[in-house]
Amino acid sequence: MARLHLFDLDGTLLHGSTAPLEISRQLGLEAETVALERALSAGHIGPPEYAVQVHALWEQLTDDHVAAAFAAAPWLSRIEEVWAAIRENGDYCAVISLSPSFFVERLTRWGAHAAYGSRFPALPFREPVDPARILSAAAKVRIAERLCAEFGVRSADCVAYGDSMSDKDLFDAVPVSVAVNADHHLADRATHSYAGRDLWDAYELVR
């Protein structure tokens, strides 16, 4: 049976960073975004409130800024090699992230079969963000279920990779999980745990 590998983005494929933080660096708004991410991590705000506030910060954001952020981001090494190996095995790989889809979807160019993120308005922003289109931890599970149906994969044949408690629901929903550079709150729930900057080494744990 084919397997479906499900990857988180922030803190997982991106080492020690998030897509919003990398985007904000391009606009000189790193400190403001760090404060928002701390509030989110502490539970003072939820993903919809975070999205509304970061949308307001990014009023000058363009596609060029996003492209520059993607190029400069601290990616784990050998992402494309892992996804090529997954494809060669007849398996599937997808990225599911709470970060903006206009950043996440760029990963299909590296070999992901699918990439899902929170839906923000088109750039440059002329419309408000719709909180209903911002993903949550529970939404990751629903998207994974849709991908299983699309690819003809059983949930029993899924592998999840993540780093934070936003991946907890997905880890609980699949039989095999890899905590990537995660703290003990998630690592204690995972089948495997990996610390480092090479995705191939994490993939080897379940290969």
Side-chain angles (χ1 to χ4, degrees):
M1 293 290 294
R3 291 202 295 178
L4 171 59
H5 296 257
L6 300 159
F7 295 88
D8 173 53
L9 172 64
D10 300 325
T12 303
L13 298 177
L14 287 175
H15 185 267
S17 189
T18 68
L21 186 56
E22 295 303 314
I23 291 167
S24 290
R25 283 199 177 106
Q26 299 297 318
L27 299 169
L29 297 168
E30 181 178 355
E32 292 86 343
T33 305
V34 167
L36 284 176
E37 296 200 343
R38 286 176 179 163
L40 179 65
S41 295
H44 299 316
I45 59 175
E49 294 82 8
Y50 175 89
V52 168
Q53 293 187 51
V54 81
H55 172 272
L57 284 180
W58 292 344
E59 60 180 352
Q60 302 299 323
L61 186 63
T62 67
D63 284 323
D64 287 343
H65 290 126
V66 177
F70 190 92
W75 298 102
L76 293 191
S77 61
R78 297 202 283 180
I79 293 173
E80 291 178 83
E81 288 89 338
V82 168
W83 292 349
I86 288 171
R87 284 176 169 268
E88 287 168 6
N89 288 339
D91 295 334
Y92 300 92
C93 52
V95 182
I96 310 175
S97 171
L98 275 57
S99 281
S101 60
F102 55 69
F103 189 99
V104 181
E105 289 170 357
R106 290 172 177 264
L107 287 165
T108 58
R109 305 172 190 176
W110 287 6
H113 287 92
Y116 286 86
S118 295
R119 304 296 300 183
F120 279 68
L123 293 173
F125 295 145
R126 297 290 183 266
E127 300 173 1
V129 66
D130 180 357
R133 305 188 77 184
I134 303 305
L135 299 187
S136 64
K140 288 189 172 188
V141 177
R142 294 194 295 270
I143 291 170
E145 290 170 348
R146 292 207 305 267
L147 288 170
C148 283
E150 178 181 344
F151 297 138
V153 175
R154 303 180 306 169
S155 60
D157 295 312
C158 289
V159 182
Y161 305 74
D163 77 302
S164 70
M165 291 305 283
S166 69
D167 302 301
K168 177 184 74 68
D169 290 1
L170 189 55
F171 273 35
D172 290 345
V174 302
V176 180
S177 54
V178 183
V180 179
N181 295 316
D183 66 20
H184 72 91
H185 296 293
L186 190 71
D188 290 347
R189 295 173 174 269
T191 313
H192 306 281
S193 186
Y194 169 75
R197 302 196 64 164
D198 190 331
L199 188 62
W200 188 274
D201 292 339
Y203 172 57
E204 283 281 4
L205 297 173
V206 299
R207 192 180 180 198

